[in-house]
Every structure is written in structure tokens, then in C-alpha cells.
Amino acid sequence: MSMIAALPRTTTPLLLLFACAAGLSVANVYYAQPLLDALAADLHIGTARIGAVIAATQLGSVIALLWLVPLGDRHERRRLMALQNMALVLALLGVASAGSATALLLGMLVVGLLGTAMTQGLIAYAAAAAHPHERGRVVGAAQAGVVIGLLLARVVAGGVADLGGWRAVYGVSAGLMVLSGAVLWLRLPRLPVPVAPPRASLLALLRQQPVLRRRGVLGLLLFTAFGLFWSTLALPLGAPPYALSHTAIGAFALVGLLGALAAARAGHWSDHGHAERISLVALLVLLLSWAPLAALPLHLGWLVLGVLLLDLAAQALHVTNQSLILAAAPDAQAQVIAAYMLFYAAGSGLGAVLGSALYATQGWLGVCVAGATVSVLALGAWALMRPAQPSRQQGQRSGGCRPGG
């Protein structure tokens, strides 16, 4: 890999730029979640099938991870970001003007494609520019922006939809992406194109990278559980006895902002060799979260507690996963992050489809039982695949054992 300028520890404005741009990009993939009831009513999509809207964005994410994100290892990242940003603006305007379910699904697929490409491209950009000993910290900071973006997406979408309808959400987002693209073009550092190894297929990467195999499986199960909850929540909250507005539904995501803090610290702790401990605690909290979530029909306070636990667990494990796989493959940052995020997208899409189908047939309790079951599977997978050697030794072999300063 050719030498590139490392991101100094003191460049807080640049870290904030990566975090904010990644948050704005990923928000486009999640705006639809609190709007499912409005989308279903406006475009005549049945309750059992409305999860296809979320699944379409995740399918777009899969395509991006297979074909677009790995391009960052071979092309000038700044120019690539600019092209993707312009295409994303056009896709958002297409969704805002969709007149049928088919047009909406196609638009969501493209939004998922480009929103994911930009988000993961920015994370890989930051990781490639960071010193090895602080890569976890930098990835944690960028991922914190992603978490805040995906959580605030639900709040913003609900508020804008209540004021101007669901189409206004995507029109406003198109304007924000124009501004974001301009700032990125002006402020992102120019990094030399790395001399990347030949692009490996997903199967080849999985054979070569045992850390990617282990963490990919955990990511798949984690985001199946995460998708089960977030893709379904708007349905019981929008119906009697609560019948909440889109703004109120989206506001529950604010509770999950504490998950962003856990995400940033998880990267720091991973740098210090505590990745497996973080993983165990996160998986136990994930399982525990389904008890208060199942009590939603009793009181909304249980929902608040459940959301807090779920988001803390999900983001802590997610950042730990990313920190480990990036440390294990310093010469193929974009390829391994794309491969890992394929598991993420597959889990999110599966959770969305299962969630809406289970809610239509089994109600909210059925969704929560499914989420707890997947959480148990994740805990069992972690126990079976846990490496024999401590993660601190893994970090030392990859040059990421101790952060500077």
C-alpha cells in the first residue's frame, strides 16, 4: 500500500466533517421507517408488504457493498464521493415524486445504493487516513456520526412529514445533500490512491479473513434483530390505543443517541484489547432489551428503556466489529468494510421483511419473541466462534494495540 497522509489526532474539524457527512448520507436509508403507515396509505401498499420498502433500500445497500464501496481502494476517493453525491440527489428527487409503489421501490433501491456507498466510503476514507494505533478511535468517531444520523433520520422524517407530508422529507434531504457535497469537495483532504491488492471476491475474503467471518456472522444476527424492531415500531405506535404522530414516533429514536456514545467508546476500548468483553456485554444487553420492548402495550416507558438498551448494545457491537476487521486488513480497508456491511444489509433487510410479516400475523409480541430468539442465536454464535487468543494479541499483530496520547 502506498504511503498516505495520516489523519492527525488534533484535526477535530476533519473528524466532525467525516461524522456529519456520514450521518447525512446514512439518514437517507432510514427516513422511511417512521413513514411506513403514510407510504402504505398514499401508495396503497398492504401492511404485510410494506416491509418491502425497507428491504428495497437494503437490497440497494447490498449492491453498493458489492460494487461501489470497494472502488475506494482503487480510485481517488474525493472525486468518487462527488459523483456519488450528485447521483444521490437525483435519486432523492425521484423518490419525492414517486407516483406508484413500483416507482417508490425502485427509488428506494437507488437511495439505498448511493446512501450506503457514501456512508461506508467515508468510514473507509477516515480509517485509511488514520494512524494504525488510533484507527479504532477514528472509526468510532465516524461511526458515531452514522448512528446519530440514522437515529435523527427518524425524528426529522417524522417532523417534516407532519408539516409537509412524506414527500417533503426526500425533497429536504436532496437539498441537504447538495450542501454536504459542496463542503466535502472543498474540505476533504486529497489522499493518494492506494496500491491495493487485487480485488478479492466475497468468498475469497471470507477464506482469508477469519475475523471477517466471525464478525460478519455476528453483524448479520445483530442487525436482523435490530431490523425486526425498527422496521416495525411505527405500526403499533401509529395504531390505537396510542395513535401517535410521525413526529412522536420518530422522537423515540432520540433515546438511542446514547448508543452513539457507546459506539465511539467501543472503538477506543477495542484499541485497548477489550473487544471480546465488549462483545459479550453487548450481546447480553441485546437479549435483555426485548423484555421491556415486549411490554410496549402496557406503558410507553417500557419502550423508552428497551430502545435505550437495544441501541447501546447494537452500536457497541457494530463499532467493535468494524474496528477488528479494519485492523486485520490494513491494505484492503474498503473491501473488508464492504464485505462486513453485506452481512449488515442482509440482516437489516431480513429483519424488515420478517418484522412486517410477523406483526401482521402474530402482533407485537410475535416480533419481540423473534427478536429475542435471534439475540440468543447471536450470543451462541459468539461463544462458539470466540478466538482462542485474546483480542489484545490480535491488535498487536495488526499494529493497533494502543492509541496514541
Side-chain angles (χ1 to χ4, degrees):
M1 182 175 180
S2 62
M3 294 300 293
I4 58 176
L7 188 64
R9 191 177 177 85
T10 55
T11 55
T12 300
L14 187 55
L15 278 176
L16 287 175
L17 175 58
F18 278 121
C20 291
L24 283 173
S25 298
V26 78
N28 295 296
V29 185
Y30 292 92
Y31 284 135
Q33 287 190 350
L35 309 177
L36 292 180
D37 56 341
L39 293 169
D42 190 20
L43 298 175
H44 309 292
I45 304 173
T47 299
R49 295 185 294 115
I50 193 60
V53 172
I54 307 301
T57 62
Q58 297 305 323
L59 176 59
S61 296
V62 169
I63 298 172
L65 295 166
L66 285 171
W67 300 107
L68 292 185
V69 176
L71 294 178
D73 285 335
R74 286 172 172 74
H75 298 278
E76 205 274 308
R77 296 177 189 270
R78 182 169 164 269
R79 187 178 302 275
L80 193 60
M81 289 287 142
L83 293 174
Q84 291 172 350
N85 189 85
M86 288 187 290
L88 179 56
V89 169
L90 295 177
L92 289 166
L93 293 175
V95 170
S97 60
S100 67
T102 300
L104 176 69
L105 292 175
L106 288 174
M108 288 296 186
L109 186 146
V110 180
V111 166
L113 173 82
L114 295 165
T116 298
M118 287 201 63
T119 303
Q120 300 309 318
L122 284 163
I123 291 176
Y125 199 143
H131 288 292
H133 62 262
E134 62 176 5
R135 187 169 288 127
R137 183 186 71 88
V138 171
V139 169
Q143 184 62 35
V146 173
V147 177
I148 292 171
L150 69 87
L151 293 175
L152 288 184
R154 302 177 177 108
V155 181
V156 171
V160 174
D162 283 340
L163 293 173
W166 71 265
R167 297 180 190 275
V169 174
Y170 293 93
V172 169
S173 182
L176 290 174
M177 292 311 300
V178 170
L179 294 175
S180 174
V183 175
L184 287 173
W185 180 255
L186 293 172
R187 298 298 182 186
L188 276 183
R190 293 176 181 269
L191 300 178
V193 179
V195 181
R199 180 174 174 180
S201 67
L202 175 60
L203 291 178
L205 279 174
L206 291 173
R207 285 196 301 267
Q208 298 164 7
Q209 299 287 340
V211 175
L212 176 61
R213 289 198 300 271
R214 292 193 296 268
R215 293 291 157 171
V217 171
L218 291 180
L220 173 70
L221 294 170
L222 168 67
F223 284 100
T224 298
F226 199 67
L228 275 165
F229 172 75
W230 280 112
S231 65
T232 314
L233 180 62
L235 301 176
L237 292 183
Y242 295 121
L244 299 181
S245 68
H246 294 115
T247 302
I249 294 172
F252 280 98
L254 290 174
V255 178
L257 283 177
L258 289 178
L261 300 178
R265 296 302 297 171
H268 174 77
W269 292 328
S270 181
D271 283 341
H272 281 74
H274 302 302
E276 297 304 329
R277 292 180 184 175
I278 297 169
S279 300
L280 174 59
V281 172
L283 288 167
L284 289 172
V285 173
L286 178 68
L287 177 59
L288 177 65
S289 70
W290 292 102
L293 291 176
L296 165 64
L298 301 179
H299 195 279
L300 287 177
W302 290 114
L303 176 61
V304 172
L305 176 60
V307 169
L308 174 62
L309 294 175
L310 180 72
D311 278 39
L312 283 169
Q315 300 312 322
L317 183 59
H318 184 42
V319 169
T320 301
N321 288 346
Q322 289 183 308
S323 297
L324 289 176
I325 65 170
L326 287 168
D331 293 331
Q333 302 281 343
Q335 290 186 62
V336 294
I337 201 68
Y340 168 72
M341 292 303 294
L342 281 171
F343 291 96
Y344 167 102
S348 296
L350 178 61
V353 172
L354 288 176
S356 59
L358 282 169
Y359 184 78
T361 58
Q362 305 296 323
W364 182 247
L365 182 60
V367 172
C368 293
V369 169
T373 301
V374 174
S375 301
V376 170
L377 291 176
L379 189 59
W382 173 82
L384 289 173
M385 298 185 298
R386 184 172 49 169
Q389 293 179 309
S391 57
R392 176 182 290 275
Q393 294 177 8
Q394 294 173 359
Q396 290 171 340
R397 290 196 299 270
S398 64
C401 64
R402 187 173 180 84

